Amino acid sequence: MKKNILALLFLFLWPNISHAKIDLVILPTQDSVQLTIYNSADLTLVKETRFLTLKEGFNELQFSWANTLIDPTSLEISSKKKTDVINVRSLKYPPKIKNVGLWNIHSRISGQVPVEISYLTSGLSWRAFYSGTLTPDEKEMSLKGYVLVTNNSGEDYANAQVRLIVGQVHLVDQISSLALRSAPYSTPYQAKTDSNSIHAFQNGRALDYGDYSDVTASRSFKKYRRKAKAVLKEGLSEYFLYTIEGRETIPNGWSKRLPSFDVGKVPVVNLYKYEEERYGSQVVRFLSFKNDQDHQLGATPIPGGMLKVFRHVDQEHHLSYEGQSRFKYIPIDEDVELNLGEAGDVVVKPMLINFKTENYLFDRYGNISGWDEVYTYKIAVKNTREVPVKIEIKRNFNVQKWDVQHQGDYGAFEAIDADTIQYTLGMQSQENKEFMYILRVFQGRRGDGG
Amino acid sequence: MKKNMYLKSVIMLSMFCFLSLSVAEARIKLVALPKRADTIIRLDNPQFTLIEEERVLTLQQGLNKVDFSWNGVSIDPDSIRIDILSHSDQVTLLNVSYPPNENALVWEISSAGAREEKIRVSYLLSNIDRLITYKSVADKAETQVNFKSHLILRNFSGEDFANAKVLLDYGESFEEGIRHEETKQLLFLKAGTVPIEKVWQWDSKKQIWDPEEVDQNVGIPVHYRITNTTDSNLGQNALWNGKMRVFQLDGHGSTILLGEDAVDLTPVGEDMEVYIGDSRDLVVTQRKMVDKQTNIRRNTSGRVVLYDNEEQVTAKIENFKDTNAKLKMVQHIPGEWDMHSCNFEYKKENANTIEFEIDVPAQGKAELVMHYFRRNIRN
């Protein structure tokens, strides 16, 4: 077990002489640890409760953290219960000794005082990932959510309460860069160079945040439990706080996978999209649902992560891998569209079948000053799949003045913005559809708006 | 220990008593080293730190030379001053001379009699300074914070100060020693409960218009607004710039970190805006639904020389939170323009910037539609 964080208590014989440090050292035991781990930044708030046996008068508490990634500027000590009993006079970072803080605490009583020591560290992280299994008809999906907590902080955390924060926190400095400064608050002459040393962490332990390889996942271990742990989820400010039931031990270097939720039947829609400017000439498959109660969800937002989608192919529950999609944070009641990649079994083919110009205008010198361009497109849509699908086709024009007319089986039409339109079609299995639209573009004086 | 500290001192004040006034080299002869008495480290100027130290000189009748030298520290020689404190009418500073190739100066002091004289030496010392940090802990409802501020004293000057009075322009002073390469954190302002206003702000120049078009979450910046007034339990002085960390009580006896920001100097009466993080439960989708030239004027060659541009912008605001939100929305319209219609009231911040305050109900939506013409655009 690696224990790099130490809290030592020195008792003074003479309260007024600040250098009268004597060799009576008491090592207060750690009573409890709480880890609040963020996923939008490499940041964890650690709170330790310890019982200090204080003398009335001045007490000096040394806190040291060699080989960890603690931000020294975040160190704080406070009385857990009797707030007026102790008074923190100062926190001193002595010269030439790295990673040591010395609190000068004045106590009004003699005896045991529960204190909370809190600090920010980097190196602990978590990410969410998901596994979905579609029914053979692809109308429903069972969805399992997991979180993977990884400890590369340099410190072992035993029997810790683990809490996870979902949300976009704003930081001025990266915690890892604060942890690596030569002086806790840098130096008056070094302020600029220190801020550039973010990537200078030795031992290769610096985290390339947000890019955890699956190697960490394979190292994760699972304890056999009678029952999966519950996760308490609640909103705080713009964040969601997930508190994992009970206590966890996560030694340095280890990862731990914990179940987050398990929903049996989420109704899903097979959605296919076609938009040349965004996806090229391929149709892209999406799986669409909503984070609400109708979809057996909606209790909390869903943290962003990777979803791997499988499908039951037969009665024996054999699986087929459908694809994977990394998705963004999904608020409650928000529609979800999971991009599963290009699909070859649904085809959208636009064809320009006619082009003409008309309504010419001439200026007084006889030169052309305005005209219309008329484009006729035929769009053929094919669903070669065994299941019904929904298809969204977007067309962008990038012209100022236009007019569109449509004919045939075009489904629902919507003007998305000044130069984008969308057709939404519902397709039965093995169904083919065709429709046309005629785009008239007003050029030159024809576009003058009268 | 104390002795050790003193020996490490690299700023020296030495006194020489001369037998013969004409011998300038006699600086090394008889040295009385007056001890540093009261010392003040004054940090009211954020760029420069002023040290004031008082010492007692044992003056001879007649001319005395006092040598002030430093080694391994950076003192601005032009800033060095001496003040005669006890008998300014009988003790006179005659001149100041600088020995060659030395970090030193020599004061020639004339005294009417042999006496102990208290002097104050002041100078600007480099690489000793202060930072200000703030810590706020918000209540669960986010209506108020517990507000406090720390002074961070950083001494990398090369000089040890065994004991000094540390002063800022306001707040408590501290009696503290600080050694070279030492950093000290001291509680400096405890304002208690300070009301806050939580503001979500979307700016059409800074934020992405269509979040669906990007793969990352598009957050809306969230600020806490703290007003530096006495009504807010502040307002005694300007609040220095520094880093603020904002925490929130979690209802379980613990806190979470909401975020941190580098706040600007906030004079009395002004607002301090603290950017804590981004909301992902408030989503703005802004689109331009109309964008076309009208009222086109051409020259005799048929070239367009002047036109108006008709634009209609819609912004859909969705609130996925279970509480109401007031969104401050900043829109920018360049050049000459007039609003044809707009379904929300706005405040004109300047010629090209308008601001809306839009209330969005919990789990509800609002839609801003503004239809305007940009006038007289030259081609």
Side-chain angles (χ1 to χ4, degrees), chain B residues 130-144:
Chain B
R130 55 99 176 132
L131 303 171
I132 298 294
T133 63
Y134 297 94
K135 185 186 174 185
S136 288
V137 182
D139 61 342
K140 234 186 147 183
E142 299 183 274
T143 56
Q144 59 188 43

Side-chain angles (χ1 to χ4, degrees), chain A residues 129-152:
Chain A
F129 67 99
Y130 304 89
S131 177
T133 311
L134 289 166
T135 52
D137 63 2
E138 299 181 20
K139 286 183 174 163
E140 285 173 348
M141 179 172 70
S142 70
L143 186 61
K144 284 189 167 80
Y146 304 95
V147 289
L148 186 76
V149 179
T150 302
N151 179 7
N152 282 320

Side-chain angles (χ1 to χ4, degrees), chain A residues 73-280:
Chain A
T73 71
S74 67
L75 273 185
E76 198 168 339
I77 190 166
S78 59
S79 164
K80 194 77 179 127
K81 288 200 173 74
K82 306 163 186 169
T83 38
D84 56 340
V85 166
I86 64 164
N87 179 16
V88 180
R89 294 289 298 258
S90 68
L91 168 59
K92 199 158 74 178
Y93 305 93
K96 295 187 173 55
I97 315 167
K98 280 210 78 174
N99 302 326
V100 170
L102 221 53
W103 275 296
N104 188 356
I105 301 167
H106 186 266
S107 176
R108 289 169 64 178
I109 56 158
S110 225
Q112 264 211 342
V113 178
V115 295
E116 182 182 88
I117 296 174
S118 69
Y119 50 86
L120 299 173
T121 183
S122 77
L124 280 147
S125 62
W126 73 273
R127 63 178 173 90
F129 67 99
Y130 304 89
S131 177
T133 311
L134 289 166
T135 52
D137 63 2
E138 299 181 20
K139 286 183 174 163
E140 285 173 348
M141 179 172 70
S142 70
L143 186 61
K144 284 189 167 80
Y146 304 95
V147 289
L148 186 76
V149 179
T150 302
N151 179 7
N152 282 320
S153 68
E155 177 73 358
D156 295 333
Y157 288 100
N159 292 319
Q161 183 188 35
V162 176
R163 313 197 303 171
L164 311 173
I165 294 274
V166 186
Q168 201 74 39
V169 64
H170 179 247
L171 292 183
V172 178
D173 302 296
Q174 291 193 36
I175 301 301
S176 56
S177 74
L178 299 178
L180 298 170
R181 279 175 167 176
S182 54
Y185 282 88
S186 192
T187 57
Y189 44 84
Q190 241 186 346
K192 283 186 187 124
T193 50
D194 259 16
S195 64
N196 295 328
S197 66
I198 295 165
H199 302 293
F201 187 50
Q202 61 276 35
N203 304 334
R205 208 186 272 150
L207 290 175
D208 184 4
Y209 198 78
D211 186 24
Y212 298 109
S213 67
D214 286 335
V215 179
T216 50
S218 67
R219 282 198 318 209
S220 69
F221 64 91
K222 208 160 95 181
K223 274 191 181 171
Y224 290 101
R225 295 182 194 286
R226 291 202 184 96
K227 201 178 93 186
K229 286 194 167 187
V231 180
L232 174 72
K233 299 167 183 174
E234 60 192 310
L236 272 177
S237 187
E238 299 304 315
Y239 308 120
F240 258 81
L241 175 67
Y242 291 9
T243 305
I244 292 157
E245 190 186 37
R247 298 280 183 272
E248 298 290 337
T249 294
I250 312 172
N252 183 44
W254 286 76
S255 298
K256 199 159 198 176
R257 175 167 152 177
L258 302 158
S260 162
F261 66 84
D262 186 351
V263 182
K265 290 176 177 178
V266 180
V268 292
V269 174
N270 261 317
L271 175 67
Y272 289 79
K273 290 190 182 189
Y274 181 87
E275 187 180 358
E276 275 172 26
E277 292 75 10
R278 211 168 159 188
Y279 308 117

